[in-house]
């Protein structure tokens, strides 16, 4: 399994997040045929973990950027709060949090970053 698979499983298991976005949790971008609210995640960075006995990685530290997209600030914030709770439920503490807007679509966003330790 990959770190992305583990993250998707954690987000999909959240009843609170499902109440807001349903099953609309996607890697990279919201598909054009899907309407917000939705959550999008991306791998922002990867650091490999090795041991003194081998140069082959045994794990990786992954930084994910997870964005909740919605038509209102309240919906984007609520979805991001549910994402944060889902991360905490599986032992990961969200880090940076920022709000934004897509000027072209008018959609509002709340983005969380989280560091994810994944054993290979």
């Amino acid at each position: 399994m990959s770190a992305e698979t583990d993250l998707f499983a954690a987000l999909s298991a959240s009843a609170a997040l499902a109440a807001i976005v349903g099953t609309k949790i996607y890697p990279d971008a919201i598909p054009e045929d899907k309407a917000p609210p939705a959550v999008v995640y991306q791998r922002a960075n990867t650091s490999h973990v090795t041991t003194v006995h081998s140069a082959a990685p045994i794990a990786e530290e992954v930084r994910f950027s997870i964005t909740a997209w919605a038509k209102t600030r309240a919906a984007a914030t609520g979805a991001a709060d549910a994402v944060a709770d889902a991360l905490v439920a599986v032992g990961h503490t969200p880090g940076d949090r920022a709000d934004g807007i897509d000027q072209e679509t008018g959609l509002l966003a709340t983005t969380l970053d989280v560091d994810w330790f994944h054993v290979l």
Side-chain angles (χ1 to χ4, degrees):
M1 291 190 19
S2 68
E4 285 85 353
T5 301
D6 293 344
L7 174 64
F8 180 81
L11 297 178
S12 296
S14 169
L17 184 57
I20 299 168
V21 302
T23 59
K24 294 182 281 184
I25 302 168
Y26 307 108
D28 302 320
I30 302 171
E32 287 187 25
D33 63 335
K34 303 296 181 187
V39 169
V40 174
Y41 60 91
Q42 296 175 316
R43 184 184 285 235
N45 188 40
T46 304
S47 298
H48 295 284
V49 178
T50 60
T51 68
V52 295
H53 303 291
S54 173
I58 60 164
E60 56 188 7
E61 284 279 354
V62 177
R63 173 158 282 217
F64 284 112
S65 182
I66 307 165
T67 303
W69 290 97
K71 292 181 180 180
T72 68
R73 171 59 51 217
T77 299
D81 290 343
V83 166
D85 291 343
L87 295 171
V88 169
V90 295
H92 296 279
T93 304
D96 296 335
R97 183 174 177 144
D99 292 331
I101 185 169
D102 182 305
Q103 295 293 336
E104 188 175 311
T105 64
L107 292 177
L108 296 157
T110 300
T111 301
L112 301 169
D113 288 338
V114 64
D115 291 324
W116 194 280
F117 187 81
H118 176 71
V119 177
L120 298 174

